[in-house]
Amino acid sequence: MTLPLNPEQETAVRHPGGPLLVLAGAGSGKTRVLTARIAHLIRERGVAPSRIFAVTFTNKAAGEMRARVGTLLGADPRGLWIGTFHSLSARLLRREAPLLGFAPNFTIYDQDDSESFIKRMLEQRGHALKTHPPRAIHAIISGAKNRMLLPEELGASADGPLERVAAEIYAALGPALRQANAMDFDDLLLFPLTLFAEHPERLAYWQRRFDHVLVDEFQDTNAAQYRLVKHLAAEHRNLCVVGDDDQAIYGWRGADVRHMLSFQQDFPGTILIKLEQNYRSTQVILDAANGVIAENAHRLGKTLFTAQHGGEPVTLLTAADERDEAEWLAAELSRRASAADLAYQGMAILYRTNAQSRPFEEALRFRGIPYRLVGAVSFYERREVKDVLAYLRLIANPSDDEAFARIVNVPRRGIGDASFVQLVRAAAQWGKPLLEAARGAERMPDLRPNVRAAFTGVVALIDELRMRHGETDPATALEHIVAAVGYAQYLADEGSEGVERVENVQELIAGAAAWAETDGDEAGDEPGEEGRLKGPTMIARYLTQAALVTSADQGTGDAEGVTLMTVHMAKGLEWPLVGLAGLEDGLFPLARSAGEPGGLEEERRLCYVGLTRAREKLYLSWARTRYRTGRLELSEPSRFLDALPAGAIEERSTTPQWDRPGRGSRRGAAARRAPPVELDWDIETSQDAPRYATGERVRHRKFGGGTVRAVSGSGRELKVTVEFDDQDIGTKQLLVAYAGLEREWESA
C-alpha cells in the first residue's frame, strides 16, 4: 500500500540521508510524511524497524502512527522504537538502570507522587509547608532540571528563601529517589544524558544501535530532548525533524523554538523542505490564520494555501458576558447539528484556560447537548485507580515509598497519621525504604501492639503478592490484588459513588489485559545485548505505560459529544466546526505574556494553533464582561483580532452596541456598524470594578429583572437603585458588592 503524496512530501519521504528539516504547516500532512518515510526506510531501503528511533508528541499519536506504518507495510513493524521522549527514554533506561544506581524495575513518579515525596522531605527538615508549598518547590526544581541546572547552580542563583529551600531539597532529592528506586518525569530526560557522559561506551553503543532518528513536533523540544537526539544522530547524521515554528506553544515548560530556528546552523548541509499546502481547512480559515501569525517577527516564514477555495466566513461573536457567550455558542451548535446534519462529535469549543469550561458545560447540559471534557481528572489520576496501581507498583518495586504511603491504610487498617510518622522517622534513621522499615515494626516500642501488627500484616500481604504475581501479566496481578485486599468491598461500602469506582477498577483490569495482548515489542530487540542485563518484567513495562499517559490522551464524558478543551490540548487535532472562545486582552493573550520575553509571540502562536483546528467552520468569540478572580471585569477584544482580514469575517453580537475607546480598528468597528445606544455611564474611581448605567437592564437572583434608575458611591460602596418589573417588589437600593446582579443584555 502507498500513500498519495504531493511533490514536497515525496521529496521528504525519499530524502536519501543526512540532516533533514521539514517545515510543516498546520494540516499539511506531516503525519503522513513521517509515516510514509518510516515505511519507505523499512520497505525500500531495507532498514530494520529496530534500528529506527521515532519520537512523537503524545502516546496516542505514537500508537496511531505505528498502526499506519503497519498498514503501509502489511505487517506490524516489530522492534520499531516509536513513542514520546519520556516513553523512549524510560525504555532505554530500563536497560541501563544499574549503571545509574537504579534497578530496572524503577518506579516513575508522576506530579502527585513527586509533590508528596517532596512534602515528606520538607517535613523531615522542619520546613513549614505553608511558607514552602510542595507544589511550588517541585515547580522550581522541575524548572531547574529543564534548564539542566545542578542543585548547587540553583542554590547559587537562588532569589529568595523559597528558591534556597528548593535548592536544599533538590540536593537531597537525587539520593532519596535512588533509595526509593524511583525517577520523576524530568529524570527520564536527564538520565540518558548522564549515562552518555559517564559511560562513553554506552553512548557509542546507542549511536550504533539506531541508523535513523526522526522527531515529530520538533519545535517543542527542550534542551535535554534536543541534546539526546543530537547524541544519537551524531555519527550517521540521519536526523529528520518535522515541525512548525508557528506552532511552538510550550515555552512555559522548557521547550525552545530556537532549536528549530538554528537547526540548519547546528547541522551544516541540512536540506530544508516546506510543506505549505493545507489539506484540512478552507481558504477563508487559512486567510484568518495567516493574517494573525504574520505579525510574529521570529519565524522561518511560510504561507498556507489550499485547493479548497472559498468557504464559510469566520463568525466573530461579541457577547455580553461568559454565560451569554456560552449560551449563544451552544444554541448555534444545536442549530448546526439540526440544519447541517453535522454530528456533535465533529464540533469543539476551545479556550485559553481550563477555568473557562464551566459556563460551556452548563450551557450544553441545559440544551441536552452531549459533550466530552478533555483535561479534567484523567482516568489514571482517579483515587481508586491510583490505589490499585500503588499495590502493583510495590509488587514491581518494594522500595517505592510513595506507593507504600498510599496503600498502608487503604483499606483502613487502623494505622493513623501519628503511627505513620513514626515509621517514616524510623525509616530515615535506618536508611531503609518504608516497606522494609515496616518489617521492623516490632523494634518500635512507641507503637501500639495493634499498629505493629497492622504494619507486619501489610508487609506479609505485599510479600505474598510479589511471590505469587511478580512475574505474571499485569491484569492477572491486578485481579488478585483487588481480591486479596478486599478492595471492591471497600469501595462498595461508599455507596453509589463507590459502585462507579468499582467499575473504574474493572476498566483498569480490562485495559491491562488489552495492553498485554500487544505487549512484547520491547522484549528481545537488542541485537547482541540479550544476555547483558535482565530486562524489565511485564508489570514494570505496563506501569511505565500507565505512568506516561497524559490528560491529552483521554477525556471524560460522551465520546460522541462536543469536545471541550484548552487550545494547548487541541494541538494536533481537528474538527469540522471549532469555536475559539474568550478572545480578550488579558485572557488571550494572557496579561502576563506581555512582560515575558517572547511571551506575546507564543500567545499569538497559540491563537494560530486554535484557528487552524477548524476544517469547515470557525467561530471566534469574546465577552464584554467576564468574572475573573472572583469579580466582574470589563474586557477589551484581543489584539489578535485586529489582524483578521475583513473579507474573511462576519460579525455577530448579542449585546447593545456603544462606542468605547480602543487601540485598533477592530475595537471600534462594532460601534461604527450599529446605531449608537444612549447610555449614561457613571464612572467609578476603580477602573477594575463593575460599572452600571442608569437605564440599564439587570437581573437579581431573587427579585428578577429590573431597570437601573440611579447609581451612587464607588468601589466597595457602589450602590444602585433598581426598579424591578414585579410591582410587588417595587424599587430597591442595593449594594453591588453583595447583590449578585447580572446584566440582562437584549439581543441586537
Side-chain angles (χ1 to χ4, degrees), residues 579-623:
L580 182 57
L583 283 160
E584 298 135 34
D585 261 10
L587 180 58
F588 203 171
L590 288 177
R592 67 173 180 266
S593 65
E596 299 172 349
L600 195 56
E601 290 215 346
E602 179 154 323
E603 289 285 301
R604 189 175 284 110
R605 292 194 294 265
L606 185 61
C607 182
Y608 173 81
V609 167
L611 297 173
T612 53
R613 299 310 94 195
R615 296 208 298 259
E616 300 163 14
K617 179 62 182 179
L618 176 63
Y619 293 90
L620 310 176
S621 63
W622 72 283

mmCIF file of all heavy atoms in Angstrom, residues 579-623:
data_model
loop_
_atom_site.group_PDB
_atom_site.id
_atom_site.type_symbol
_atom_site.label_atom_id
_atom_site.label_comp_id
_atom_site.label_asym_id
_atom_site.label_seq_id
_atom_site.Cartn_x
_atom_site.Cartn_y
_atom_site.Cartn_z
ATOM 1 N N GLY A 579 -15.157 26.350 17.788
ATOM 2 C CA GLY A 579 -15.354 27.648 18.418
ATOM 3 C C GLY A 579 -14.144 27.968 19.274
ATOM 4 O O GLY A 579 -13.734 27.151 20.103
ATOM 5 N N LEU A 580 -13.537 29.126 19.042
ATOM 6 C CA LEU A 580 -12.393 29.577 19.844
ATOM 7 C C LEU A 580 -12.881 30.737 20.694
ATOM 8 O O LEU A 580 -13.178 31.819 20.178
ATOM 9 C CB LEU A 580 -11.235 30.006 18.933
ATOM 10 C CG LEU A 580 -9.936 30.453 19.605
ATOM 11 C CD1 LEU A 580 -9.395 29.365 20.532
ATOM 12 C CD2 LEU A 580 -8.887 30.820 18.557
ATOM 13 N N ALA A 581 -13.007 30.505 22.001
ATOM 14 C CA ALA A 581 -13.711 31.429 22.885
ATOM 15 C C ALA A 581 -12.755 32.238 23.753
ATOM 16 O O ALA A 581 -11.586 31.901 23.913
ATOM 17 C CB ALA A 581 -14.677 30.640 23.768
ATOM 18 N N GLY A 582 -13.299 33.309 24.336
ATOM 19 C CA GLY A 582 -12.547 34.096 25.308
ATOM 20 C C GLY A 582 -11.422 34.910 24.714
ATOM 21 O O GLY A 582 -10.389 35.103 25.358
ATOM 22 N N LEU A 583 -11.616 35.428 23.496
ATOM 23 C CA LEU A 583 -10.553 36.194 22.834
ATOM 24 C C LEU A 583 -10.575 37.637 23.334
ATOM 25 O O LEU A 583 -11.068 38.555 22.665
ATOM 26 C CB LEU A 583 -10.718 36.115 21.319
ATOM 27 C CG LEU A 583 -10.242 34.787 20.724
ATOM 28 C CD1 LEU A 583 -10.838 34.552 19.351
ATOM 29 C CD2 LEU A 583 -8.711 34.752 20.656
ATOM 30 N N GLU A 584 -10.040 37.813 24.537
ATOM 31 C CA GLU A 584 -9.975 39.129 25.167
ATOM 32 C C GLU A 584 -8.560 39.411 25.637
ATOM 33 O O GLU A 584 -7.857 38.505 26.079
ATOM 34 C CB GLU A 584 -10.931 39.174 26.369
ATOM 35 C CG GLU A 584 -12.387 38.972 26.014
ATOM 36 C CD GLU A 584 -13.088 38.003 26.965
ATOM 37 O OE1 GLU A 584 -12.741 37.984 28.160
ATOM 38 O OE2 GLU A 584 -13.969 37.256 26.504
ATOM 39 N N ASP A 585 -8.155 40.652 25.544
ATOM 40 C CA ASP A 585 -6.850 41.025 26.070
ATOM 41 C C ASP A 585 -6.829 40.775 27.570
ATOM 42 O O ASP A 585 -7.766 41.137 28.290
ATOM 43 C CB ASP A 585 -6.563 42.501 25.782
ATOM 44 C CG ASP A 585 -5.682 42.683 24.557
ATOM 45 O OD1 ASP A 585 -5.456 41.687 23.848
ATOM 46 O OD2 ASP A 585 -5.227 43.808 24.307
ATOM 47 N N GLY A 586 -5.766 40.157 28.041
ATOM 48 C CA GLY A 586 -5.653 39.777 29.441
ATOM 49 C C GLY A 586 -6.008 38.330 29.681
ATOM 50 O O GLY A 586 -5.577 37.740 30.666
ATOM 51 N N LEU A 587 -6.796 37.757 28.748
ATOM 52 C CA LEU A 587 -7.141 36.332 28.824
ATOM 53 C C LEU A 587 -6.501 35.585 27.665
ATOM 54 O O LEU A 587 -5.927 34.516 27.843
ATOM 55 C CB LEU A 587 -8.655 36.156 28.809
ATOM 56 C CG LEU A 587 -9.178 34.714 28.872
ATOM 57 C CD1 LEU A 587 -8.673 34.005 30.123
ATOM 58 C CD2 LEU A 587 -10.705 34.696 28.826
ATOM 59 N N PHE A 588 -6.615 36.123 26.472
ATOM 60 C CA PHE A 588 -5.971 35.536 25.284
ATOM 61 C C PHE A 588 -5.619 36.673 24.337
ATOM 62 O O PHE A 588 -6.445 37.065 23.545
ATOM 63 C CB PHE A 588 -6.930 34.546 24.615
ATOM 64 C CG PHE A 588 -6.259 33.508 23.756
ATOM 65 C CD1 PHE A 588 -6.981 32.441 23.232
ATOM 66 C CD2 PHE A 588 -4.906 33.583 23.444
ATOM 67 C CE1 PHE A 588 -6.381 31.478 22.441
ATOM 68 C CE2 PHE A 588 -4.291 32.629 22.651
ATOM 69 C CZ PHE A 588 -5.043 31.576 22.152
ATOM 70 N N PRO A 589 -4.418 37.267 24.444
ATOM 71 C CA PRO A 589 -3.267 36.780 25.228
ATOM 72 C C PRO A 589 -3.432 37.030 26.727
ATOM 73 O O PRO A 589 -4.065 37.990 27.138
ATOM 74 C CB PRO A 589 -2.108 37.613 24.678
ATOM 75 C CG PRO A 589 -2.752 38.912 24.273
ATOM 76 C CD PRO A 589 -4.101 38.523 23.728
ATOM 77 N N LEU A 590 -2.810 36.134 27.516
ATOM 78 C CA LEU A 590 -2.779 36.326 28.954
ATOM 79 C C LEU A 590 -2.046 37.612 29.293
ATOM 80 O O LEU A 590 -1.086 37.994 28.607
ATOM 81 C CB LEU A 590 -2.073 35.155 29.638
ATOM 82 C CG LEU A 590 -2.818 33.812 29.680
ATOM 83 C CD1 LEU A 590 -1.933 32.757 30.319
ATOM 84 C CD2 LEU A 590 -4.142 33.926 30.419
ATOM 85 N N ALA A 591 -2.484 38.256 30.356
ATOM 86 C CA ALA A 591 -1.905 39.549 30.719
ATOM 87 C C ALA A 591 -0.403 39.455 30.970
ATOM 88 O O ALA A 591 0.366 40.334 30.580
ATOM 89 C CB ALA A 591 -2.625 40.087 31.953
ATOM 90 N N ARG A 592 0.024 38.361 31.616
ATOM 91 C CA ARG A 592 1.446 38.268 31.986
ATOM 92 C C ARG A 592 2.368 38.068 30.790
ATOM 93 O O ARG A 592 3.576 38.277 30.888
ATOM 94 C CB ARG A 592 1.654 37.149 32.997
ATOM 95 C CG ARG A 592 1.405 35.747 32.466
ATOM 96 C CD ARG A 592 1.811 34.690 33.484
ATOM 97 N NE ARG A 592 1.581 33.344 32.994
ATOM 98 C CZ ARG A 592 0.478 32.641 33.234
ATOM 99 N NH1 ARG A 592 -0.485 33.166 33.969
ATOM 100 N NH2 ARG A 592 0.344 31.408 32.757
ATOM 101 N N SER A 593 1.803 37.659 29.648
ATOM 102 C CA SER A 593 2.655 37.343 28.498
ATOM 103 C C SER A 593 3.391 38.564 27.972
ATOM 104 O O SER A 593 4.495 38.454 27.444
ATOM 105 C CB SER A 593 1.822 36.721 27.370
ATOM 106 O OG SER A 593 0.890 37.659 26.857
ATOM 107 N N ALA A 594 2.770 39.753 28.115
ATOM 108 C CA ALA A 594 3.391 40.960 27.578
ATOM 109 C C ALA A 594 4.707 41.277 28.272
ATOM 110 O O ALA A 594 5.599 41.907 27.679
ATOM 111 C CB ALA A 594 2.426 42.136 27.701
ATOM 112 N N GLY A 595 4.852 40.837 29.532
ATOM 113 C CA GLY A 595 6.073 41.141 30.270
ATOM 114 C C GLY A 595 7.135 40.072 30.192
ATOM 115 O O GLY A 595 8.207 40.217 30.791
ATOM 116 N N GLU A 596 6.879 38.973 29.466
ATOM 117 C CA GLU A 596 7.845 37.881 29.362
ATOM 118 C C GLU A 596 8.517 37.898 27.996
ATOM 119 O O GLU A 596 7.847 38.149 26.982
ATOM 120 C CB GLU A 596 7.137 36.539 29.570
ATOM 121 C CG GLU A 596 6.474 36.403 30.935
ATOM 122 C CD GLU A 596 5.619 35.157 31.055
ATOM 123 O OE1 GLU A 596 5.388 34.510 29.998
ATOM 124 O OE2 GLU A 596 5.185 34.832 32.174
ATOM 125 N N PRO A 597 9.816 37.639 27.944
ATOM 126 C CA PRO A 597 10.494 37.614 26.639
ATOM 127 C C PRO A 597 9.851 36.593 25.705
ATOM 128 O O PRO A 597 9.740 35.413 26.039
ATOM 129 C CB PRO A 597 11.933 37.206 26.998
ATOM 130 C CG PRO A 597 12.092 37.578 28.445
ATOM 131 C CD PRO A 597 10.737 37.383 29.061
ATOM 132 N N GLY A 598 9.414 37.052 24.562
ATOM 133 C CA GLY A 598 8.785 36.163 23.597
ATOM 134 C C GLY A 598 7.394 35.712 23.982
ATOM 135 O O GLY A 598 6.781 34.915 23.269
ATOM 136 N N GLY A 599 6.875 36.216 25.099
ATOM 137 C CA GLY A 599 5.588 35.751 25.601
ATOM 138 C C GLY A 599 4.431 36.068 24.673
ATOM 139 O O GLY A 599 3.565 35.222 24.424
ATOM 140 N N LEU A 600 4.409 37.274 24.146
ATOM 141 C CA LEU A 600 3.304 37.662 23.277
ATOM 142 C C LEU A 600 3.337 36.886 21.965
ATOM 143 O O LEU A 600 2.289 36.495 21.429
ATOM 144 C CB LEU A 600 3.356 39.170 23.009
ATOM 145 C CG LEU A 600 2.093 39.791 22.429
ATOM 146 C CD1 LEU A 600 0.898 39.516 23.320
ATOM 147 C CD2 LEU A 600 2.282 41.291 22.233
ATOM 148 N N GLU A 601 4.542 36.628 21.450
ATOM 149 C CA GLU A 601 4.642 35.846 20.210
ATOM 150 C C GLU A 601 4.173 34.404 20.448
ATOM 151 O O GLU A 601 3.540 33.805 19.571
ATOM 152 C CB GLU A 601 6.063 35.877 19.662
ATOM 153 C CG GLU A 601 6.465 37.233 19.102
ATOM 154 C CD GLU A 601 7.389 37.130 17.890
ATOM 155 O OE1 GLU A 601 7.928 36.032 17.639
ATOM 156 O OE2 GLU A 601 7.557 38.148 17.188
ATOM 157 N N GLU A 602 4.468 33.848 21.614
ATOM 158 C CA GLU A 602 3.995 32.489 21.889
ATOM 159 C C GLU A 602 2.478 32.459 22.020
ATOM 160 O O GLU A 602 1.824 31.517 21.555
ATOM 161 C CB GLU A 602 4.642 31.923 23.153
ATOM 162 C CG GLU A 602 4.150 30.525 23.489
ATOM 163 C CD GLU A 602 5.136 29.691 24.299
ATOM 164 O OE1 GLU A 602 6.352 29.798 24.063
ATOM 165 O OE2 GLU A 602 4.670 28.922 25.144
ATOM 166 N N GLU A 603 1.891 33.478 22.643
ATOM 167 C CA GLU A 603 0.433 33.550 22.728
ATOM 168 C C GLU A 603 -0.184 33.656 21.332
ATOM 169 O O GLU A 603 -1.224 33.059 21.054
ATOM 170 C CB GLU A 603 0.017 34.760 23.572
ATOM 171 C CG GLU A 603 0.296 34.612 25.049
ATOM 172 C CD GLU A 603 -0.681 33.672 25.743
ATOM 173 O OE1 GLU A 603 -1.886 33.931 25.709
ATOM 174 O OE2 GLU A 603 -0.217 32.668 26.314
ATOM 175 N N ARG A 604 0.477 34.405 20.437
ATOM 176 C CA ARG A 604 -0.038 34.518 19.066
ATOM 177 C C ARG A 604 0.074 33.176 18.346
ATOM 178 O O ARG A 604 -0.819 32.793 17.582
ATOM 179 C CB ARG A 604 0.723 35.611 18.303
ATOM 180 C CG ARG A 604 0.109 35.936 16.940
ATOM 181 C CD ARG A 604 0.803 37.103 16.258
ATOM 182 N NE ARG A 604 0.412 38.381 16.844
ATOM 183 C CZ ARG A 604 1.198 39.153 17.583
ATOM 184 N NH1 ARG A 604 2.450 38.766 17.848
ATOM 185 N NH2 ARG A 604 0.772 40.298 18.074
ATOM 186 N N ARG A 605 1.148 32.440 18.600
ATOM 187 C CA ARG A 605 1.265 31.102 18.008
ATOM 188 C C ARG A 605 0.174 30.185 18.533
ATOM 189 O O ARG A 605 -0.377 29.358 17.798
ATOM 190 C CB ARG A 605 2.654 30.509 18.307
ATOM 191 C CG ARG A 605 3.797 31.232 17.605
ATOM 192 C CD ARG A 605 5.094 30.438 17.652
ATOM 193 N NE ARG A 605 5.646 30.284 18.978
ATOM 194 C CZ ARG A 605 6.568 31.069 19.516
ATOM 195 N NH1 ARG A 605 7.039 32.100 18.819
ATOM 196 N NH2 ARG A 605 7.032 30.839 20.722
ATOM 197 N N LEU A 606 -0.147 30.331 19.817
ATOM 198 C CA LEU A 606 -1.210 29.520 20.396
ATOM 199 C C LEU A 606 -2.552 29.846 19.746
ATOM 200 O O LEU A 606 -3.360 28.954 19.467
ATOM 201 C CB LEU A 606 -1.272 29.751 21.909
ATOM 202 C CG LEU A 606 -2.250 28.890 22.696
ATOM 203 C CD1 LEU A 606 -1.902 27.409 22.556
ATOM 204 C CD2 LEU A 606 -2.251 29.291 24.170
ATOM 205 N N CYS A 607 -2.798 31.115 19.500
ATOM 206 C CA CYS A 607 -4.017 31.520 18.802
ATOM 207 C C CYS A 607 -4.060 30.899 17.407
ATOM 208 O O CYS A 607 -5.099 30.402 16.959
ATOM 209 C CB CYS A 607 -4.090 33.042 18.726
ATOM 210 S SG CYS A 607 -5.581 33.676 17.935
ATOM 211 N N TYR A 608 -2.913 30.911 16.728
ATOM 212 C CA TYR A 608 -2.802 30.312 15.384
ATOM 213 C C TYR A 608 -3.127 28.820 15.426
ATOM 214 O O TYR A 608 -3.828 28.297 14.553
ATOM 215 C CB TYR A 608 -1.380 30.554 14.876
ATOM 216 C CG TYR A 608 -1.005 29.885 13.580
ATOM 217 C CD1 TYR A 608 -1.371 30.430 12.359
ATOM 218 C CD2 TYR A 608 -0.244 28.717 13.580
ATOM 219 C CE1 TYR A 608 -1.001 29.836 11.158
ATOM 220 C CE2 TYR A 608 0.132 28.109 12.397
ATOM 221 C CZ TYR A 608 -0.244 28.677 11.188
ATOM 222 O OH TYR A 608 0.130 28.068 10.014
ATOM 223 N N VAL A 609 -2.660 28.144 16.471
ATOM 224 C CA VAL A 609 -2.987 26.724 16.636
ATOM 225 C C VAL A 609 -4.496 26.552 16.742
ATOM 226 O O VAL A 609 -5.087 25.673 16.107
ATOM 227 C CB VAL A 609 -2.277 26.138 17.875
ATOM 228 C CG1 VAL A 609 -2.844 24.771 18.234
ATOM 229 C CG2 VAL A 609 -0.773 26.018 17.622
ATOM 230 N N GLY A 610 -5.148 27.397 17.546
ATOM 231 C CA GLY A 610 -6.591 27.293 17.709
ATOM 232 C C GLY A 610 -7.336 27.522 16.404
ATOM 233 O O GLY A 610 -8.262 26.784 16.056
ATOM 234 N N LEU A 611 -6.927 28.531 15.652
ATOM 235 C CA LEU A 611 -7.593 28.854 14.389
ATOM 236 C C LEU A 611 -7.488 27.707 13.391
ATOM 237 O O LEU A 611 -8.442 27.407 12.661
ATOM 238 C CB LEU A 611 -6.971 30.111 13.777
ATOM 239 C CG LEU A 611 -7.095 31.417 14.577
ATOM 240 C CD1 LEU A 611 -6.270 32.515 13.914
ATOM 241 C CD2 LEU A 611 -8.543 31.848 14.702
ATOM 242 N N THR A 612 -6.348 27.055 13.363
ATOM 243 C CA THR A 612 -6.097 26.032 12.343
ATOM 244 C C THR A 612 -6.607 24.645 12.744
ATOM 245 O O THR A 612 -6.328 23.667 12.053
ATOM 246 C CB THR A 612 -4.595 25.947 12.015
ATOM 247 O OG1 THR A 612 -3.843 25.769 13.227
ATOM 248 C CG2 THR A 612 -4.125 27.215 11.320
ATOM 249 N N ARG A 613 -7.380 24.560 13.838
ATOM 250 C CA ARG A 613 -8.013 23.275 14.172
ATOM 251 C C ARG A 613 -9.293 23.058 13.361
ATOM 252 O O ARG A 613 -9.802 21.943 13.295
ATOM 253 C CB ARG A 613 -8.379 23.210 15.655
ATOM 254 C CG ARG A 613 -7.232 23.317 16.659
ATOM 255 C CD ARG A 613 -6.117 22.388 16.366
ATOM 256 N NE ARG A 613 -5.087 23.055 15.574
ATOM 257 C CZ ARG A 613 -4.120 22.427 14.918
ATOM 258 N NH1 ARG A 613 -4.070 21.114 14.895
ATOM 259 N NH2 ARG A 613 -3.214 23.099 14.237
ATOM 260 N N ALA A 614 -9.832 24.144 12.777
ATOM 261 C CA ALA A 614 -11.132 24.077 12.102
ATOM 262 C C ALA A 614 -10.980 23.680 10.642
ATOM 263 O O ALA A 614 -10.106 24.188 9.939
ATOM 264 C CB ALA A 614 -11.832 25.424 12.198
ATOM 265 N N ARG A 615 -11.863 22.801 10.185
ATOM 266 C CA ARG A 615 -11.851 22.382 8.787
ATOM 267 C C ARG A 615 -12.814 23.206 7.930
ATOM 268 O O ARG A 615 -12.449 23.647 6.845
ATOM 269 C CB ARG A 615 -12.209 20.897 8.671
ATOM 270 C CG ARG A 615 -11.207 19.964 9.314
ATOM 271 C CD ARG A 615 -11.171 18.592 8.649
ATOM 272 N NE ARG A 615 -12.422 17.873 8.733
ATOM 273 C CZ ARG A 615 -12.684 16.901 9.596
ATOM 274 N NH1 ARG A 615 -11.775 16.577 10.504
ATOM 275 N NH2 ARG A 615 -13.835 16.266 9.587
ATOM 276 N N GLU A 616 -14.045 23.384 8.405
ATOM 277 C CA GLU A 616 -15.072 23.997 7.565
ATOM 278 C C GLU A 616 -15.662 25.279 8.147
ATOM 279 O O GLU A 616 -15.995 26.193 7.404
ATOM 280 C CB GLU A 616 -16.209 22.982 7.333
ATOM 281 C CG GLU A 616 -15.740 21.710 6.638
ATOM 282 C CD GLU A 616 -16.739 20.577 6.783
ATOM 283 O OE1 GLU A 616 -17.897 20.847 7.194
ATOM 284 O OE2 GLU A 616 -16.372 19.424 6.501
ATOM 285 N N LYS A 617 -15.819 25.340 9.456
ATOM 286 C CA LYS A 617 -16.454 26.498 10.067
ATOM 287 C C LYS A 617 -15.728 26.876 11.343
ATOM 288 O O LYS A 617 -15.421 26.019 12.176
ATOM 289 C CB LYS A 617 -17.931 26.198 10.385
ATOM 290 C CG LYS A 617 -18.674 27.346 11.059
ATOM 291 C CD LYS A 617 -18.742 28.590 10.175
ATOM 292 C CE LYS A 617 -19.446 29.731 10.891
ATOM 293 N NZ LYS A 617 -19.488 30.953 10.054
ATOM 294 N N LEU A 618 -15.469 28.183 11.488
ATOM 295 C CA LEU A 618 -14.741 28.692 12.648
ATOM 296 C C LEU A 618 -15.537 29.821 13.287
ATOM 297 O O LEU A 618 -15.955 30.764 12.614
ATOM 298 C CB LEU A 618 -13.361 29.193 12.225
ATOM 299 C CG LEU A 618 -12.486 29.853 13.291
ATOM 300 C CD1 LEU A 618 -12.138 28.866 14.400
ATOM 301 C CD2 LEU A 618 -11.197 30.407 12.660
ATOM 302 N N TYR A 619 -15.749 29.708 14.605
ATOM 303 C CA TYR A 619 -16.366 30.765 15.391
ATOM 304 C C TYR A 619 -15.317 31.335 16.340
ATOM 305 O O TYR A 619 -14.603 30.581 17.006
ATOM 306 C CB TYR A 619 -17.532 30.228 16.223
ATOM 307 C CG TYR A 619 -18.723 29.767 15.427
ATOM 308 C CD1 TYR A 619 -18.820 28.447 14.997
ATOM 309 C CD2 TYR A 619 -19.760 30.637 15.114
ATOM 310 C CE1 TYR A 619 -19.914 28.005 14.268
ATOM 311 C CE2 TYR A 619 -20.870 30.211 14.383
ATOM 312 C CZ TYR A 619 -20.932 28.897 13.964
ATOM 313 O OH TYR A 619 -22.011 28.467 13.232
ATOM 314 N N LEU A 620 -15.232 32.649 16.407
ATOM 315 C CA LEU A 620 -14.388 33.332 17.377
ATOM 316 C C LEU A 620 -15.308 34.148 18.274
ATOM 317 O O LEU A 620 -16.290 34.729 17.793
ATOM 318 C CB LEU A 620 -13.378 34.246 16.690
ATOM 319 C CG LEU A 620 -12.551 33.630 15.564
ATOM 320 C CD1 LEU A 620 -11.658 34.684 14.922
ATOM 321 C CD2 LEU A 620 -11.721 32.472 16.085
ATOM 322 N N SER A 621 -15.017 34.213 19.564
ATOM 323 C CA SER A 621 -15.913 34.954 20.452
ATOM 324 C C SER A 621 -15.145 35.656 21.554
ATOM 325 O O SER A 621 -14.088 35.204 21.989
ATOM 326 C CB SER A 621 -16.961 34.017 21.055
ATOM 327 O OG SER A 621 -16.358 33.027 21.864
ATOM 328 N N TRP A 622 -15.707 36.786 21.980
ATOM 329 C CA TRP A 622 -15.179 37.489 23.150
ATOM 330 C C TRP A 622 -16.353 38.078 23.911
ATOM 331 O O TRP A 622 -17.438 38.272 23.366
ATOM 332 C CB TRP A 622 -14.169 38.570 22.759
ATOM 333 C CG TRP A 622 -14.747 39.789 22.098
ATOM 334 C CD1 TRP A 622 -15.162 39.912 20.805
ATOM 335 C CD2 TRP A 622 -14.981 41.071 22.719
ATOM 336 N NE1 TRP A 622 -15.635 41.168 20.568
ATOM 337 C CE2 TRP A 622 -15.532 41.910 21.720
ATOM 338 C CE3 TRP A 622 -14.772 41.585 24.000
ATOM 339 C CZ2 TRP A 622 -15.886 43.233 21.973
ATOM 340 C CZ3 TRP A 622 -15.114 42.908 24.254
ATOM 341 C CH2 TRP A 622 -15.660 43.717 23.256
ATOM 342 N N ALA A 623 -16.163 38.333 25.210
ATOM 343 C CA ALA A 623 -17.225 38.849 26.071
ATOM 344 C C ALA A 623 -16.843 40.216 26.616
ATOM 345 O O ALA A 623 -15.699 40.434 27.025
ATOM 346 C CB ALA A 623 -17.485 37.878 27.224
#
